[in-house]
């Protein structure tokens, strides 16, 4: 696909050439998955605009397909693998001690967060839902 024919928010050919090997292969059995490129552009559209899954534009295919693929990749670690590749080597000058800080004044729950389920989802392994300690706090002078 030619980059100038893409929506301005869709990823280009060079970005897809880099991203493609990080995505799961199509299953050997059953029907073939919809194109990963269209599905990921749909996920990015939803994240960028904040629209409900059901309101995704038709050019991304069935909203349920986009939702299910996003959920599957969230549960199996695909998104984490992609993020690890994105940040690999980004802060080499900082060494192993670089950290990320988030100011709690800008971290807010979504308006629909009040009705969260009490039981964890059954289709995501429990170890993936466990709280992870990201780093040990660094104290001045210690």
């Amino acid at each position: 696909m030619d980059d100038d024919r893409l929506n301005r928010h869709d990823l280009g050919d060079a970005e897809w050439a880099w991203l493609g090997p990080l995505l799961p292969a199509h299953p050997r059995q059953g029907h073939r998955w919809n194109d990963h490129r269209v599905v990921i552009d749909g996920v990015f559209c939803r994240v960028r605009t904040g629209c409900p899954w059901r309101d995704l534009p038709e050019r991304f295919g069935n909203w349920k397909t986009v939702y299910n693929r996003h959920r599957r990749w969230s549960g199996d670690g695909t998104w984490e693998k992609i993020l690890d590749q994105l940040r690999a080597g980004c802060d080499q000058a900082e060494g192993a001690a670089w950290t990320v800080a988030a100011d709690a004044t800008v971290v807010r729950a979504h308006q629909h967060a009040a009705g969260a389920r009490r039981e964890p989802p059954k289709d995501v392994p429990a170890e993936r839902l466990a709280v992870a300690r990201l780093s040990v706090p660094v104290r001045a002078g210690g």
Side-chain angles (χ1 to χ4, degrees):
M1 184 179 285
D2 212 353
D3 275 342
D4 58 341
R5 292 180 23 203
L6 296 174
N7 182 300
R8 69 185 180 110
H9 295 292
D10 292 347
L11 297 178
D13 291 338
E15 294 159 324
W16 277 108
W18 181 86
L19 185 63
L22 302 175
L23 299 172
H26 291 283
R28 291 179 186 263
Q29 296 179 346
H31 66 87
R32 290 185 54 82
W33 281 349
N34 289 6
D35 184 20
H36 286 328
R37 185 172 185 160
V38 173
V39 171
I40 289 181
D41 282 337
V43 171
F44 289 169
C45 175
R46 195 258 176 193
V47 170
R48 185 179 61 257
T49 63
C51 69
W53 287 106
R54 291 177 187 262
D55 293 342
L56 274 176
E58 290 181 17
R59 70 186 189 94
F60 300 117
N62 186 339
W63 69 269
K64 188 77 169 174
T65 300
V66 179
Y67 167 79
N68 285 337
R69 190 89 46 92
H70 173 64
R71 182 167 169 78
R72 181 181 301 120
W73 289 350
S74 295
D76 70 7
T78 298
W79 289 121
E80 288 177 32
K81 184 171 75 171
I82 291 170
L83 181 60
D84 287 344
Q85 287 294 329
L86 284 173
R87 63 180 175 209
C90 289
D91 290 327
Q92 288 179 342
E94 298 293 326
W98 76 277
T99 60
V100 175
D103 183 357
T105 60
V106 298
V107 177
R108 292 175 173 53
H110 190 271
Q111 63 184 356
H112 298 117
R117 66 175 78 187
R118 299 206 185 328
E119 296 294 323
K122 292 177 179 29
D123 60 339
V124 177
E127 62 272 3
R128 299 226 8 102
L129 299 172
V131 176
R133 184 173 185 141
L134 299 177
S135 64
V136 177
V138 178
R139 306 244 184 254

